[in-house]
Amino acid sequence: MNRVAAVLSPERIRLGFSAVNKSQVLDEASRLLASFEGLEPNHITASLTARERLGSTGLGAGVAIPHARLQGLRQAIAAFIRLSFAVAFDSPDGKPVTEVLVLLVPEQATEEHLELLAQAAEMFNDRRFRDQLHKQTDVVDVYQAFVDWPMIAQ
Amino acid sequence: MATPLISLAQKAQILSDALPFIRGFHGKTFVIKYGGNAMTEPALRAAFARDIAMLRLVGMNPIVVHGGGPQINELLDTLGVKAVFRRGMRVTDEKTMKVVEMVLGELNQEIVGLINQNGGKAVGLNGQDAHFIHARKMVPPLMEGETEPLDLGLVGEIEGIDADLVNNLSADGYIPVIMPIGVGPEGEAYNINADLVAGKLAETLRAEKLLMLTNAMGVLDRDGRLLNNICAADIERLSQDGTVHGGMLPKLDAALHAVRHGVRSVHVVDGRVPNALLLEVLTSEGVGTTILPDDAPQFLAVSRRYLGRLDRNMD
């Protein structure tokens, strides 16, 4: 299984969240992740926001991968949120975002965690993956799309 | 083509989904290089004019630059003048230039008319108007085995563009539709490649996007697969190793220069797809290749710094 699917789980996939801006998206992501790790949501939001200040985590094509290092976290963990309406994210292509993969890594992040980020970016840069993901409307199927990547070339 | 049946509720949903895109691009300038099938096939042409009028009416500033290659060839053919191309550029003697000006002028008015029928306020322009495109004779760099530069006749290159005319028209709600003719210091007209005019104009205006309509899926790799996202450095590599050739070369040259000089993104769009412009601007996924500046996909570089920096803070 790829690195991203390995740290994601269907319970941390939320489809159809309505937000009007980036900060509401990060708040929701923090709530979602905190309930699994017993972490303080405000702490997560603050870390995600700090990373955004260094440069947007929007990739283009409607995708963003907000991420942060977090004190007290033992291992990397991911959540996926699909927004009901696209939200401005200051992405390189200027387009708003609907698909948001959130990654948290332990404070003592290693090369492995950077590779996790790299693989997440590679995954979402793959048009076939994005198309496959867009088609899925059910949490289990969305999770399966993550598990199935990389798909065998047609 | 059959239209898939969608309910009114779905239609409303689609319109509603466009809002964040319209909001994000409100007041932004898009330079659109118009050519290929999108300009010759009646159904695609009508859809293009509607798309342009629509983008303007929802608050964006589209600016159209058009070529006229196939139409020029057609008339030259009828007149018994042989079209000669060198390195993707038309060798232009005086007789050819007359034909070029004639065909471009006619096409320009057709495009203006179509956009206006759809509720836009298009204005046809030629680089001679207010002398806004300064040109000089193009002298191509010497290639291996050449002792003197290729003489392309009245083919010009751009010295500079005065953005005032286009900016003023755009600010007043008009849609400039520009034919690629420039003027030299003696008032002589030059035929300029429309891709280069579109690229330079986008740079001068610091456009949000340069959209180039082509008759291709986009930029393809060696195996003929579409490249969805590339950066400026990738273009250099693809040109040097011969993956990209022919008419795509001037397009990518213009694209490369544009993204390195202030244009936020360039899109090589498949103009054979109906409403390609709306798809490209108002949906997440474009139809073709998106070209970003070298420093745009900063995501991993910033993350590496971010993780590294915190590592050092731990010490």
Side-chain angles (χ1 to χ4, degrees), chain B residues 85-132:
Chain B
F85 284 88
R86 296 269 161 78
R87 289 185 219 155
M89 284 170 294
R90 181 190 301 281
V91 178
T92 310
D93 59 13
E94 275 184 30
K95 199 158 146 199
T96 307
M97 188 65 192
K98 280 264 174 294
V99 174
V100 169
E101 288 186 283
M102 204 162 97
V103 173
L104 288 178
E106 198 174 313
L107 283 170
N108 188 274
Q109 286 310 296
E110 276 175 33
I111 300 164
V112 166
L114 273 174
I115 295 173
N116 291 349
Q117 282 167 35
N118 285 286
K121 293 194 289 179
V123 176
L125 294 178
N126 163 332
Q128 313 217 41
D129 294 316
H131 200 166
F132 88 100

Side-chain angles (χ1 to χ4, degrees), chain B residues 149-202:
Chain B
L150 204 60
D151 187 356
L152 295 165
L154 292 169
V155 171
E157 59 189 9
I158 303 165
E159 233 172 39
I161 291 183
D162 181 355
D164 281 356
L165 176 63
V166 172
N167 270 336
N168 289 342
L169 286 171
S170 206
D172 285 343
Y174 296 101
I175 303 166
V177 176
I178 300 160
M179 60 171 123
I181 301 282
V183 197
E186 312 292 328
E188 71 279 25
Y190 285 107
N191 172 24
I192 310 176
N193 179 298
D195 299 321
L196 299 180
V197 172
K200 190 70 185 178
L201 186 65

Side-chain angles (χ1 to χ4, degrees), chain B residues 1-6:
Chain B
M1 199 171 65
T3 310
L5 287 173
I6 57 167

